[in-house]
Amino acid sequence: MTPLPPHDVRSSLGRNLTHGMLDALGRAIVTGVYTGKRFPTEADLTLQHGVSRSVTREAVKMLTAKGLLSARPRQGTIVQPAESWNLFDPDVLGWLLDRTFSLELLRQFNELRIAIEPAAAQLAERNAGDAGLAAIRAGYARMVAAEAGEDDPLDADIAFHVAILRAAGNPFYAQFEEVVTTALRSSIRFTNRFKGRSADLAAHGAVLAAIEAADGIAAHRAMQQIIADVLALIVERDRRAEGSAA
């Protein structure tokens, strides 16, 4: 295949060349394009993508910060093993999800969620305040509207869960917002596809009701049940997949 001229390659990166380069290289690394191969030099990347050396250098620097690359004396820039990648980085998570659909990765996401979100719901009962409670109610109202076809089901569900993370009143929980959002986008699409419907309004309403009633333990339990149901569905689908492959 004849290589694309530099200006065509450059246009495929979008308006922000650095972030376009970051995305292109990040996806290539995560999807295994460079597995068993030498990672291109700065000069090679600059030529291949039709960008300046400063754009290439900045993109490589960002990928290094995300744990995907490392620069070593006499070895140049090399791709790091997957266990070195920063899985809490939303870009890395997004590239992983785009790589292939994986029940194992989905299970791991929800195992992380079940360790974080129930505790956040319990803290929200104590720390939400008027503004935080209003945001949780607004997220739930969006879910109700989505059920009637008046809002986006995915965005509404995410708004509800993110509002609870923020309402926990703990900056460490708030730092998980992007991770949980990325995990939710994949998890909700999965559950909707196999359940044939959107999120369980009653289950989410139970979380809201517990927070409103100042019952932190009930809020914890209700949120835990939501995620446990997702994990159970993943286990069921995984068992069926193994059965069909046998």
Side-chain angles (χ1 to χ4, degrees):
M1 182 181 292
T2 304
L4 289 172
H7 70 277
D8 288 337
V9 176
R10 187 168 57 247
S11 66
S12 71
L13 298 178
R15 292 184 178 180
N16 188 315
L17 294 178
T18 300
H19 285 280
M21 186 77 161
L22 170 73
D23 188 65
L25 291 177
R27 287 178 190 279
I29 292 169
V30 170
T31 55
V33 170
Y34 297 112
T35 300
K37 300 178 182 178
R38 180 183 65 85
F39 189 75
T41 65
E42 181 182 294
D44 289 338
L45 289 171
T46 297
L47 183 62
Q48 289 169 14
H49 293 273
V51 296
S52 67
R53 285 212 173 198
S54 62
V55 166
T56 301
R57 195 173 298 120
E58 185 62 25
V60 168
K61 184 189 301 182
M62 294 166 74
L63 289 168
T64 301
K66 295 176 187 293
L68 272 66
L69 295 174
S70 68
R72 298 180 183 177
R74 299 181 182 178
Q75 291 184 321
T77 302
I78 63 172
V79 174
Q80 290 285 79
E83 54 266 27
S84 298
W85 301 348
N86 180 6
L87 299 181
F88 289 103
D89 185 286
D91 286 334
V92 177
L93 287 175
W95 296 327
L96 280 169
L97 287 170
D98 287 345
R99 180 174 61 183
T100 55
F101 175 75
S102 166
L103 282 173
E104 181 183 10
L105 183 59
L106 197 60
R107 174 181 57 77
Q108 291 167 345
F109 271 147
N110 282 282
E111 287 171 347
L112 175 65
R113 289 183 61 207
I114 207 167
I116 296 169
E117 293 190 67
Q122 186 168 359
L123 285 172
E125 170 269 316
R126 186 176 66 209
N127 300 327
D130 292 340
L133 187 55
I136 297 171
R137 285 171 174 157
Y140 183 72
R142 287 190 62 184
M143 292 183 70
V144 173
E147 192 76 4
E150 298 170 359
D151 203 331
D152 181 81
L154 182 59
D155 289 342
D157 202 344
I158 289 172
F160 178 82
H161 287 271
V162 166
I164 289 175
L165 281 176
R166 293 174 178 172
N170 184 317
F172 290 99
Y173 280 91
Q175 290 290 318
F176 281 103
E177 179 179 328
E178 287 189 286
V179 175
V180 168
T181 295
T182 303
L184 271 168
R185 288 197 179 278
S186 177
S187 184
I188 292 169
R189 288 191 186 105
F190 168 78
T191 53
N192 288 358
R193 180 171 55 175
F194 289 108
K195 285 186 176 181
R197 60 174 173 78
S198 55
D200 188 335
L201 280 179
H204 288 73
V207 177
L208 172 59
I211 293 173
E212 290 177 323
D215 189 340
I217 293 176
H220 185 288
R221 188 181 302 120
M223 181 63 81
Q224 188 175 51
Q225 188 59 54
I226 290 173
I227 305 170
D229 287 346
V230 176
L231 282 167
L233 182 61
I234 293 169
V235 170
E236 177 189 347
R237 298 302 305 185
D238 195 29
R239 188 180 298 118
R240 289 185 185 180
E242 288 180 353
S244 62

